[in-house]
């Protein structure tokens, strides 16, 4: 079992930056691959970025490549999502999810543990 809590969301203007955090408690954090997902009203939940257990492998959705960076600090039991050059279309609820697999997958069905979400709103 692992518990996840997201933080760092807020309201920013287009072109601004936010840093989301996913803090984990319970089982050893390094046992989990972690991904960030987002969902806007009326839209499907989509994969944003993922990172392997050891941090050696990452993936990004095409829509955020070059703007978002996922990282992890296992000593602090935290995964981060640095979001730069934000666009209005980035507006959504952002969730972190954890899986015991060694590498992250883009499929939400693979994840056993989810945080409560944090709201990101980007104004034009």
């Amino acid at each position: 079992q692992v518990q996840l809590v997201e933080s760092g969301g807020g309201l920013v203007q287009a072109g601004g930056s936010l840093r989301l955090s996913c803090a984990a408690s319970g089982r050893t954090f390094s046992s989990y691959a972690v991904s960030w997902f987002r969902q806007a009203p009326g839209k499907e939940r989509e994969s944003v970025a993922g990172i392997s257990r050891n941090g050696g492998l990452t993936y990004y959705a095409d829509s955020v490549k070059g703007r978002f960076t996922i990282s992890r600090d296992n000593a602090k039991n935290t995964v981060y999502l640095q979001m730069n050059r934000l666009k209005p279309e980035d507006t959504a609820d952002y969730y972190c999810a954890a899986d015991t697999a060694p590498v992250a997958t883009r499929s939400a069905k693979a994840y056993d543990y989810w945080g409560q979400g944090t709201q990101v709103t980007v104004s034009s």
Side-chain angles (χ1 to χ4, degrees):
Q1 288 277 12
V2 64
Q3 294 78 47
L4 306 174
V5 179
E6 302 96 333
S7 62
L11 174 63
V12 298
Q13 293 183 336
S17 298
L18 284 173
R19 188 191 192 193
L20 305 184
S21 297
C22 175
S25 62
R27 192 175 178 181
T28 302
F29 181 60
S30 60
S31 297
Y32 300 89
V34 178
S35 289
W36 287 94
F37 292 82
R38 67 185 182 187
Q39 187 167 22
K43 297 183 179 179
E44 297 181 352
R45 182 167 296 189
E46 63 174 340
S47 174
V48 177
I51 190 166
S52 61
R53 292 197 302 211
N54 63 7
L57 294 174
T58 59
Y59 75 82
Y60 298 92
D62 289 342
S63 59
V64 307
K65 285 182 179 178
R67 299 190 297 119
F68 291 11
T69 302
I70 188 171
S71 62
R72 68 190 299 161
D73 186 342
N74 286 344
K76 296 183 178 180
N77 291 339
T78 303
V79 169
Y80 304 97
L81 185 67
Q82 179 66 46
M83 306 186 295
N84 298 325
R85 304 194 305 280
L86 284 161
K87 304 175 181 179
E89 47 264 47
D90 294 319
T91 295
D93 290 329
Y94 283 72
Y95 302 86
C96 65
D99 183 37
T100 54
V103 297
T105 179
R106 293 171 175 81
S107 175
K109 295 181 179 180
Y111 292 88
D112 298 317
Y113 307 102
W114 294 81
Q116 84 290 344
T118 185
Q119 174 69 48
V120 172
T121 302
V122 184
S123 61
S124 60

